[in-house]
Structure formats: C-alpha cells, structure tokens
Amino acid sequence: MNVKARTVRFLFNLTCGMVLLSLPVLACSTAKPAPATASSVSNEPVLSGTSADPQRVEFQAEDGRKLVGYYYPSKYVDAPIMILMHWAQGDLCDWSDIALWLQNRADENPAKLERCANAGGNSWRDSSWFPPMASDASIAVFIFDFRGYGESEQGGDRPDMVKDAWAAFKTAAGLSGVDAKQMAALGASIGADGAADGCLLYNQEMGGGCVGALSFSPGNYLGMQYSTVIADLAPIATLCIAGELDGTSAQACAGADRQYYAHRNYPGSAAHGMELISPVLDPSPMALIQLFIGLAFGEDVQVK
C-alpha cells in the first residue's frame, strides 16, 4: 500500500465516525480496502532519507517579487504536499505548528523556526489539542510569506498576492520528494482565497496537479471571485469553512455551489480566518482538515 493509500485509510477510519455526522453534505464511501497482493506490497512507501528539519526556500512571483517559504519534507518519497497560506493578521508562523503536525515526524525532533519562537500562544500554535495522526502518515508541507510579510519582499497591493499563491504552487511542484500531481492548498482569510485562486491558476497553466483547496473564511480578497473560482475548479475537492456571523465569508461559502464542493458555517460564531482553528468549535476544525486530506488525496472518501 503506498503512502497516499495508507494516509487516506487512516483518515477514513478517523473521520467518518466523528465528523461527518455533523457535516451532512459530505459522505464516506463504504468501499473496503482491497486485499494485499504481490504488486501492492511492492508499492510500500519508500523512506526519503531526508532530514525532517524545515528547509528555507527563496522564490519569485511572476512580477519578480522575491518571496520566502519553508519546506517540511515528508518522510516518504513522492509524497503529496499541502501548501498553507496565512491570513492578513499574521505570516507563515501561523502555520508552523500545523505544518509539523501534517509532516508527522515528531519522533525525529525536527527543528522549529527560530523566527516563530515568539509568535504567540494562539490555539493554532498549541498542538496539544490537535488530533493524532497515524504513525505511517506523513504529508509534505510548504508554508510561505505573502509579499509585504515576514521575510518576503515588502510592497505591493493585495490583488498582487494572487501571483504569490500561484508562484507557491509552481515552487512546491519542484521540491524534492514531492508528487507534483498530488498538491492541495489550505488557507485562512486572504490565504483562503489564495488557496483556491492559486490552485486554479496552476491547473490552468499546467493542466492539473492541484487536487483540492480548503478555505477558512474566504472573501474575494485577492480580486478573484470565490464562487467563480470554485466553479472553475470542478471536479476537484473544495471545502469552505466560515463562522455563521462572519458575513462576508459566510456569504462567500454559501455563494459557491457545484459538485464536489461543500461548505460549513459554525452556528453563532463570528470567528474569522485562523480564529476558526479553535478547540471550542464542533466539529473540530483540525478533524475537518484531516477529512479534506482524504477527500483531496484519496479514494476512500468522497463528496456527494
């Protein structure tokens, strides 16, 4: 069983019982994994031998803007990759702990980014409440600073950030150990739009490769219409999450509609962006991220 199948099987078992009861627009396939055969055994994941430490990556947007990101390698070769995009109130440090959780190599004591050491004690930087990952699951991760944030070049307007999202996909596709046909994006607020926008622009240029986009509180912030982007991304898996009282984002989620798209509004919540990464919300947003991974990269979980 290859790494994708092993990861998806775990996510299927974990999420179907505890998440989907609260998310009726999503459903799990009842298909059982095929029995092991000689050929499937030969597809056992191959360890990459790469250090678990994050690698600094310098890259450029199409307009020449210099950007900086960090790559968290999977412990396997040819691994699926998640591209994480931050909101306007933070930078890539907002995702640094979630990147380690997805990478799932804690037993190797990967280095933590020094620049993120004093980034605050927000719930999205407290991994104590994150649900466990299976020991044989390991997703490659790429996080980066939009222009004007962190280590990336300063200046530029918000609509120009869509170029950064697009460049992040092209950069991630070329990282060592990554399966460029198994890329997905997760973002919050401006990053929520960036996740979907960048996915679409990359697929339009390359003919495919991005297989999913998960957005926490989109709002057409980068100049592209979220509902149009979602329609154009069909048939890949897309998931939108917002607080019911966060008007702009709740409307953006509700305004998109197509096959293989689902949205979730948390009742009575005005939380926006990274504020939705909170242990007080039910179903757990971290479990929804795990569900999304199964939807994007797998075959055992599907959207109806």
Side-chain angles (χ1 to χ4, degrees), residues 239-264:
L239 178 58
C240 188
I241 299 172
E244 180 187 35
L245 303 182
D246 180 9
T248 298
S249 296
Q251 290 173 17
C253 285
D257 184 23
R258 66 160 175 81
Q259 190 179 19
Y260 305 112
Y261 170 76
H263 72 273
R264 170 78 194 208

Side-chain angles (χ1 to χ4, degrees), residues 6 14 28 34-35 46 58 73 78 84 88-89 95 116-117 138 149 155 161 193 195 203 215 231 234 238 277 294 297:
R6 294 168 76 94
L14 173 72
C28 290
V46 177
E58 297 181 358
D78 297 327
L84 311 184
Q89 299 182 44
W95 292 114
C116 301
S138 182
Y149 290 85
M161 292 179 180
D193 284 301
N203 282 354
S215 300
T238 47
I277 311 293
F297 298 138

